[in-house]
């Protein structure tokens, strides 16, 4: 199954979009890039973090990237990554073994890991973007961990020209997060085609949120990765020709 002739709107931040665009084009599709999130680095105060960190959890590849100035200065016993891509980026920086969530690579899957069940007295630092869900921190606190956030970046809606989309036919849209979905509909609120175009969401949570914005079909990636988004795109293409 290929994506021959399909125009896919990719909404990932510009510096993270290339891998998905390449996958789409390798399968015969045409990737249209409209970043709906802009990533702004933040500074953290190292003195606000525990002197010894039992587990450092990285929420995203961005969390790894913007933590790099601090990692060599911190005493970290164990590195933890939620997503597959996050683990890959983190592994490029260390020879240390990395504890990783199983598929579909989200917080709920990570919380099932045997090594995260009893954390009594352990210091856990969650490296993340400012804001977001507290599910992981709340669950780990209930298991006895002392949880600290290290907010190493923030997300904002970019101020970009979207009028070029008036000259394009978009067949389907990929969305990776709830905030991306909200920004997408905010940035394109004047474009009528948006509510009649199917979506591919990175997770079931984003799919559920998408149903508040559109009555079109929403396809869920089987795993939270670029490969998962591609699989859902191919599923949509198969259903479209069946």
């Amino acid at each position: 199954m290929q994506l021959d002739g399909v125009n896919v709107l990719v909404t990932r931040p510009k510096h993270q979009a290339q891998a998905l665009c390449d996958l789409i084009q390798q399968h015969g599709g045409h990737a249209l890039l409209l970043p709906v999130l802009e990533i702004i680095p933040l500074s953290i105060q190292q003195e606000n973090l525990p002197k010894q960190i039992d587990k450092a959890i990285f929420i995203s590849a961005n969390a790894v990237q913007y933590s790099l100035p601090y990692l060599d200065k911190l005493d970290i016993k164990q590195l933890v990554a939620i997503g597959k891509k996050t683990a890959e980026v983190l592994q490029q920086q260390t020879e240390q073994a990395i504890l990783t969530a199983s598929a579909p690579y989200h917080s709920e899957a990570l919380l099932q890991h045997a090594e995260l069940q009893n954390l009594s007295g352990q210091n856990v630092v969650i490296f993340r973007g400012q804001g977001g869900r507290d599910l992981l921190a709340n669950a780990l606190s209930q298991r006895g961990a002392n949880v600290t956030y290290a907010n190493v970046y923030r997300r904002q809606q970019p101020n970009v020209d979207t009028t070029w989309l008036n000259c394009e036919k978009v067949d389907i849209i990929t969305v990776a997060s709830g905030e991306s979905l909200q920004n997408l509909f905010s940035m394109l609120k004047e474009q009528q085609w948006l509510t009649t175009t199917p979506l591919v969401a990175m997770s079931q949570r984003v799919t559920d949120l998408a149903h508040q914005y559109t009555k079109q079909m929403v396809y869920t990636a089987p795993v939270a990765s670029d490969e998962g988004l591609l699989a859902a795109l191919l599923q949509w293409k198969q259903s479209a020709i069946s």
Side-chain angles (χ1 to χ4, degrees):
M1 175 59 61
Q2 293 291 303
L3 295 172
D4 295 341
V6 174
N7 288 338
V8 183
L9 188 66
V10 175
T11 61
R12 275 191 174 284
K14 186 175 182 180
H15 70 285
Q16 289 182 289
Q18 192 59 52
L20 179 57
C21 291
D22 288 346
L23 284 172
I24 291 167
Q25 287 163 189
Q26 287 164 13
H27 286 76
H30 180 210
L32 304 171
L33 179 58
L34 177 69
V36 298
L37 280 179
E38 185 177 4
I39 307 298
I40 308 297
L42 296 176
S43 298
I44 61 173
Q45 300 300 316
Q46 187 176 334
E47 59 269 21
N48 294 335
L49 300 180
K51 289 184 171 55
Q52 185 177 78
I53 300 172
D54 295 291
K55 288 179 173 59
I57 301 178
F58 296 85
I59 296 295
S60 64
N62 283 322
V64 176
Q65 179 180 343
Y66 296 115
S67 300
L68 292 181
Y70 311 101
L71 293 187
D72 289 342
K73 304 171 187 175
L74 298 172
D75 182 6
I76 300 173
K77 285 187 175 181
Q78 187 171 36
L79 299 169
V80 183
I82 292 183
K84 184 178 179 182
K85 183 63 176 179
T86 305
E88 291 172 357
V89 173
L90 188 56
Q91 196 68 77
Q92 294 170 8
Q93 307 300 325
T94 180
E95 296 180 356
Q96 187 176 341
I98 299 169
L99 188 155
T100 309
S102 58
Y105 309 116
H106 51 37
S107 295
E108 291 83 350
L110 182 65
L111 287 169
Q112 299 300 314
H113 202 290
E115 293 189 41
L116 295 180
Q117 301 310 303
N118 184 0
L119 299 173
S120 180
Q122 292 194 28
N123 292 323
V124 175
V125 177
I126 299 176
F127 292 86
R128 66 170 193 168
Q130 193 174 60
R133 295 195 299 167
D134 292 321
L135 169 73
L136 190 59
N138 291 340
L140 298 179
S141 295
Q142 291 172 5
R143 297 174 187 181
N146 304 309
V147 180
T148 305
Y149 283 129
N151 296 320
V152 294
Y153 65 94
R154 65 179 175 86
R155 300 168 293 266
Q156 68 181 27
Q157 180 176 306
N159 182 18
V160 295
D161 176 34
T162 63
T163 57
W164 61 271
L165 278 170
N166 293 325
C167 301
E168 300 284 352
K169 178 181 181 295
V170 176
D171 296 303
I172 192 165
I173 304 166
T174 64
V175 182
S177 68
E179 190 170 359
S180 295
L181 184 71
Q182 293 163 2
N183 288 355
L184 172 70
F185 277 81
S186 172
M187 293 165 65
L188 300 181
K189 59 181 178 291
E190 303 299 331
Q191 306 220 23
Q192 297 300 314
W193 57 265
L194 182 60
T195 57
T196 60
T197 304
L199 294 166
V200 166
M202 182 74 91
S203 67
Q204 186 60 50
R205 184 173 61 86
V206 180
T207 294
D208 294 341
L209 181 61
H211 289 308
Q212 300 177 23
Y213 288 85
T214 181
K215 297 186 183 301
Q216 289 299 306
M217 189 67 182
V218 182
Y219 295 80
T220 308
V223 293
S225 66
D226 290 331
E227 292 78 9
L229 290 171
L230 175 66
L233 286 168
L234 294 172
Q235 178 194 3
W236 161 78
K237 183 66 182 298
Q238 178 63 45
S239 66
I241 62 176
S242 298

